[in-house]
Amino acid sequence: MLNRRHIRIKVMQTLYMMQQSNSDNIQSGEKFLIHSLEKAQDLYLLVISTLIEVRKKEEELITLSQKKHLATAQERNPNTRFIQNKVLLLLQDSVSIDSKIEESNLNQWQVNYTYIKLLLEQIKQSELYKNYMALETCSFEQDRKFVCDIFTQIIAPDEKIYDFFEDTQLTWLDDLPVVNTIVQKQLRQLKPHDTQIFVPRLFKDSTDRDFAIDLYRKTILNYQELTLEFEDKTPNWDPERIAELDTILLRMAICEMLRFSSIPVKVTINEYLELAKEYSTPKSSIFINGVLDNISKAYSEDGKITKIGKGLL
C-alpha cells in the first residue's frame, strides 16, 4: 500500500518532529515512525468502511420506516436498490475488511455516527443517487460505477471527513490521497465474479519496511557527518536562511546516495526534488537540485558512491 515515496515522507515527518522537539531519543522517534506507518492501514479501513456504514445506516432507516404505525405505501414498499447494491454488499461481506477492522478495534464510525448520517444525506440528495435509483434494471457494472462515483465525488472530497481524519491522526493528512487512490482503484477493478475484497498489505514486501527503519536510523545516527557533506557544497550557505525542512531532505538524500547501494542516484535526486516541491518553500527544489547535483558529481569523481547493478549512477 505504501510506496517508497510515501515511506520517505514518513521518515521526513519523524525527523522533523524530533528536530522541532529537540529530541535525541532515537528509540522514541523510531516508535513514532513505526506507529505512523502502521496507522496508514487503519486510515484505509476507515475510508473504505464509510461505504459499508452508509449502506447500513440506510438499511436501518428503511426498517424503522416500515415499522411505523402509520407507514405510507412508499415506506412499506421502499426502493431498496441502494442497500441491494452488489458492490456495497460485497464490501459489507468482506471477511478481510471486517476482521481487520475488528483486529484494530476501529469503532470511530459507531462513536461518531453523525459523519455517516451527513454522508448519507449528501448521497441521497445528489443527482447520482436519483438517477441510479430511477434505473429500471441494474447490472453489476452500473452498481460499481455508482459506488465509484459517490466515493470519488461525495465521500473522498468531503471537508468534514477530512477534518475528522486530521483531528484523529495528524499524519493521516499525507496518507489520505494515497488511501483514496487505492480505494478508487480497488472499486474500479471489481468484477461480477468477485466474492471478496482484500485489505492491501501495508508494504509490498519486507524490504520496504526495512528501508523505512534503515533510512531513519542511518540519517539520524550520522546527523553531523551528513550535514558536513553539504555545508561546503553551498558557498553562500547561511543556516538562518535555509529552510529547516531542506536540511532534513538533504541529509536523507545524501544518506541514500552513500549508504543505499541499490537505489540509483538519479532516483534519489528526483524523489527529494518532488518532496521539496510538495513540502518546503517555492525555491527549495531549485536549491536542493543544485546541491545534490554538485554532490553527486563530486562523489562520482572521488569514487565515493558504490552502487550495485548497471545504470545505478
Side-chain angles (χ1 to χ4, degrees):
M1 184 165 72
L2 298 181
N3 56 35
R4 286 289 178 99
R5 176 172 296 176
H6 206 69
I7 289 170
R8 289 181 177 95
I9 292 170
K10 294 289 190 182
V11 174
M12 177 194 75
Q13 289 172 336
T14 303
L15 294 171
Y16 184 76
M17 177 274 297
M18 293 189 70
Q19 196 157 300
Q20 288 292 297
S21 59
N22 294 316
S23 172
D24 57 359
N25 190 323
I26 296 173
Q27 288 76 21
S28 175
E30 188 169 315
K31 285 180 181 178
F32 176 87
L33 172 62
I34 294 170
H35 179 77
S36 176
L37 289 164
E38 291 176 346
K39 278 293 180 180
Q41 190 172 75
D42 286 354
L43 176 62
Y44 162 84
L45 291 167
L46 286 174
V47 168
I48 201 164
S49 65
T50 56
L51 291 164
I52 298 171
E53 295 301 325
V54 292
R55 188 212 157 274
K56 282 183 182 178
K57 178 54 65 177
E58 177 62 1
E59 189 172 37
E60 288 174 15
L61 293 175
I62 287 175
T63 301
L64 287 173
S65 294
Q66 288 175 322
K67 290 180 179 179
K68 286 165 97 177
H69 180 61
L70 297 175
T72 65
Q74 185 177 357
E75 288 172 331
R76 286 194 298 270
N77 297 287
N79 185 341
T80 60
R81 173 159 291 149
F82 181 74
I83 64 172
Q84 293 300 324
N85 180 284
K86 301 174 189 68
V87 172
L88 294 180
L89 289 172
L90 185 58
L91 285 167
Q92 181 171 288
D93 296 338
S94 170
V95 175
S96 177
I97 293 174
D98 188 58
S99 61
K100 280 290 184 181
I101 289 175
E102 186 174 349
E103 179 186 317
S104 300
N105 194 28
L106 297 176
N107 64 347
Q108 279 86 340
W109 297 140
Q110 285 70 48
V111 175
N112 301 280
Y113 58 87
T114 304
Y115 290 98
I116 298 302
K117 287 177 64 178
L118 291 172
L119 283 177
L120 180 59
E121 287 170 10
Q122 287 185 63
I123 291 169
K124 292 174 74 172
Q125 290 168 8
S126 69
E127 290 301 314
L128 286 172
Y129 177 86
K130 293 170 185 175
N131 293 336
Y132 172 73
M133 298 297 280
L135 293 171
E136 291 185 11
T137 59
C138 207
S139 65
F140 181 89
E141 287 73 20
Q142 288 170 309
D143 279 354
R144 181 184 60 207
K145 184 180 184 307
F146 170 70
V147 174
C148 286
D149 287 345
I150 62 170
F151 179 79
T152 303
Q153 298 180 37
I154 298 174
I155 296 175
D158 187 82
E159 290 184 6
K160 288 186 175 62
I161 293 290
Y162 180 92
D163 291 341
F164 171 75
F165 289 141
E166 181 181 20
D167 292 341
T168 305
Q169 183 84 16
L170 187 59
T171 57
W172 276 352
L173 293 187
D174 292 304
D175 300 337
L176 197 53
V178 175
V179 167
N180 283 340
T181 299
I182 290 169
V183 172
Q184 288 170 335
K185 184 177 180 181
Q186 279 188 304
L187 293 173
R188 291 191 185 109
Q189 290 179 341
L190 288 174
K191 301 292 188 293
H193 59 269
D194 288 337
T195 58
Q196 188 69 246
I197 297 176
F198 293 98
V199 175
R201 291 184 297 177
L202 186 58
F203 300 105
K204 183 177 65 177
D205 51 46
S206 61
T207 61
D208 279 350
R209 187 184 188 282
D210 293 342
F211 171 71
I213 304 301
D214 287 347
L215 181 59
Y216 165 73
R217 288 178 180 172
K218 290 176 180 179
T219 301
I220 201 164
L221 287 171
N222 296 282
Y223 182 92
Q224 294 300 333
E225 178 188 333
L226 293 169
T227 301
L228 292 173
E229 292 292 335
F230 65 81
E231 275 186 341
D232 63 353
K233 302 297 188 301
T234 53
N236 301 317
W237 188 71
D238 178 359
E240 299 296 325
R241 300 186 64 184
I242 295 178
E244 192 173 5
L245 199 56
D246 291 355
T247 63
I248 292 172
L249 293 174
L250 284 172
R251 291 185 193 100
M252 290 172 65
I254 295 168
C255 183
E256 274 193 32
M257 286 184 186
L258 295 175
R259 300 174 186 274
F260 289 80
S261 59
S262 64
I263 302 176
V265 172
K266 288 180 180 178
V267 169
T268 294
I269 293 175
N270 288 339
E271 287 294 322
Y272 287 97
L273 285 183
E274 291 304 313
L275 293 185
K277 288 176 184 176
E278 187 171 352
Y279 290 94
S280 201
T281 69
K283 295 182 179 180
S284 290
S285 61
I286 298 171
F287 168 69
I288 287 177
N289 183 48
V291 174
L292 293 182
D293 187 55
N294 289 336
I295 287 175
S296 65
K297 287 175 181 176
Y299 285 172
S300 296
E301 291 172 3
D302 297 342
K304 202 169 181 178
I305 298 178
T306 304
K307 296 292 182 180
I308 301 170
K310 295 180 178 180
L312 291 181
L313 296 179

